[in-house]
Amino acid sequence: MKEFNFKNLGESIHSIRVKLGISQKDLASGICSQSQISKIETGEISPYIHTLVKISERLGINTSHFINQISKEHYEFVSQSKNHVREHIKKKDYKEVRRLINKLEKHPSFQNIEELQFIHWHRGVCIYYLEHDSSRAIDVLKEALDMKDSIQATEQDIQIINSIGIIHGEKEEWEEAKNSFLRAQEIYSRALYSMDFTILIRIYYNLSKIYYKLNNNHEALNVANKGINLALEKESSYLMGELLYQKGFIYAERGDVSQGIVYLQKAGTIFALYEKESYIQMVQDKLALFRQ
């Protein structure tokens, strides 16, 4: 591990400590000596893991934040760059995504397996949406899955499998899409460490849509409910509007119109809160249809 990574770690600890207005002595109390804190902050020494955990707890910072700074040369740059790419994915600005990943591919901070896999993953997405070549896009995404050092699947692996399922779904290849989402769900459930729960919520949402396309409304509702319950458990609004919308129109289309309208109205309230105009219109169209 490169020494300057420990220097970055020390600078981060120093910056947070100063912002919190506590002295090295206060930070060190009950953990280590003040001189050790001083040497850690200057990058002269690296802390033992149990020391780093205790420092993290005292500063109120997740230990993984500091671990990432140790293990990556330019952690903040990598993190911000990935977020930038994902923001443009949400906007469906795939031309900008392609420009960004072509630029990042040449950057020294994107030369390890995880970052190269990230580039390959988004290249596959761009091939599908810009070149409309689903077969080649899926091949590139599968190549991305093979780019790994870890024994077990990572969160990024699951997200790539989810992207494969989305492409199959948009091509109306329902069984292939279902199998992709079920595979993603199984990998998530077998993980030996805690993963980002929003990944599972997205899997539930995508799987619910596929079950609906396969005329399996019972399972579509079951999976949508799993997504809603998980979001409620985590006190999150992530995809809540979309899941409620999904639940609402399935109820309505299978004959329980009054129940369907209730969930559609709930979805509309959430979409209005977040000013999602296209989704608000979508709800209004469904309500108009089912109220006839």
Side-chain angles (χ1 to χ4, degrees):
M1 196 169 290
K2 297 183 179 179
E3 187 174 351
F4 65 79
N5 285 335
F6 290 117
K7 186 173 186 297
N8 290 342
L9 170 66
E11 289 175 349
S12 180
I13 291 173
H14 171 79
S15 175
I16 294 169
R17 177 180 64 77
V18 170
K19 287 178 181 177
L20 292 174
I22 63 174
S23 66
Q24 289 183 343
K25 182 179 178 180
D26 292 332
L27 179 56
S29 179
I31 298 176
C32 59
S33 68
Q34 181 179 341
S35 64
Q36 281 180 294
I37 292 294
S38 178
K39 290 177 180 178
I40 289 169
E41 289 189 350
T42 60
E44 186 177 343
I45 64 171
S46 61
Y48 290 113
I49 186 64
H50 65 274
T51 302
L52 182 60
V53 169
K54 289 180 179 178
I55 289 173
S56 302
E57 289 174 348
R58 181 150 298 167
L59 294 174
I61 300 294
N62 194 305
T63 309
S64 63
H65 170 79
F66 293 129
I67 295 294
N68 281 328
Q69 293 199 2
I70 294 172
S71 62
K72 292 182 181 179
E73 295 180 13
H74 304 287
Y75 169 72
E76 291 298 334
F77 172 79
V78 169
S79 179
Q80 290 174 10
S81 296
K82 285 184 172 182
N83 287 339
H84 197 196
V85 170
R86 298 305 297 166
E87 285 170 6
H88 286 285
I89 286 286
K90 289 178 182 178
K91 296 175 183 176
K92 299 183 179 181
D93 186 356
Y94 300 108
K95 289 184 179 179
E96 180 62 12
V97 171
R98 173 172 280 178
R99 187 191 72 79
L100 288 170
I101 63 173
N102 286 342
K103 183 178 178 181
L104 291 172
E105 185 178 28
K106 301 169 186 175
H107 197 282
S109 296
F110 273 79
Q111 298 310 305
N112 62 28
I113 290 296
E114 182 182 353
E115 272 56 76
L116 289 173
Q117 186 190 50
F118 180 87
I119 294 292
H120 220 66
W121 166 24
H122 289 87
R123 176 169 289 114
V125 171
C126 288
I127 288 171
Y128 174 66
Y129 287 107
L130 295 178
E131 301 176 19
H132 311 292
D133 189 337
S134 61
S135 179
R136 181 164 165 253
I138 289 174
D139 285 343
V140 170
L141 291 172
K142 288 180 177 178
E143 288 171 6
L145 282 175
D146 292 334
M147 299 169 62
K148 60 188 302 160
D149 284 333
S150 58
I151 295 173
Q152 69 170 322
T154 64
E155 288 184 356
Q156 190 160 271
D157 292 329
I158 296 175
Q159 290 171 313
I160 293 169
I161 295 169
N162 191 60
S163 292
I164 292 172
I166 289 171
I167 292 175
H168 280 308
E170 291 189 2
K171 299 298 292 182
E172 300 186 0
E173 298 163 353
W174 310 128
E175 284 296 332
E176 291 88 342
K178 182 187 76 172
N179 291 337
S180 292
F181 296 135
L182 287 175
R183 180 188 175 195
Q185 179 182 318
E186 181 185 4
I187 292 172
Y188 186 100
S189 67
R190 287 192 285 106
L192 300 178
Y193 62 97
S194 179
M195 288 188 173
D196 180 356
F197 70 89
T198 65
I199 294 174
L200 184 56
I201 290 176
R202 178 160 288 279
I203 292 169
Y204 285 146
Y205 174 58
N206 289 331
L207 191 53
S208 176
K209 291 194 294 183
I210 295 304
Y211 276 127
Y212 170 75
K213 292 295 185 180
L214 289 168
N215 297 314
N216 189 343
N217 285 344
H218 175 77
E219 200 57 37
L221 281 173
N222 180 44
V223 176
N225 281 328
K226 286 182 179 180
I228 292 168
N229 291 336
L230 179 56
L232 291 172
E233 176 190 332
K234 300 294 184 179
E235 298 182 345
S236 170
S237 62
Y238 182 71
L239 290 181
M240 180 62 84
E242 288 84 348
L243 286 162
L244 288 169
Y245 173 83
Q246 177 81 358
K247 187 173 179 178
F249 81 71
I250 291 175
Y251 266 122
E253 291 195 1
R254 77 176 191 177
D256 194 344
V257 176
S258 59
Q259 187 80 319
I261 288 174
V262 168
Y263 285 109
L264 287 171
Q265 289 173 328
K266 289 181 179 180
T269 300
I270 292 176
F271 292 145
L273 180 64
Y274 289 96
E275 298 181 347
K276 294 185 174 182
E277 298 299 330
S278 62
Y279 287 95
I280 294 170
Q281 185 60 53
M282 186 171 65
V283 169
Q284 291 175 344
D285 290 344
K286 285 292 183 183
L287 287 172
L289 175 65
F290 293 127
R291 283 169 171 163
Q292 290 179 353

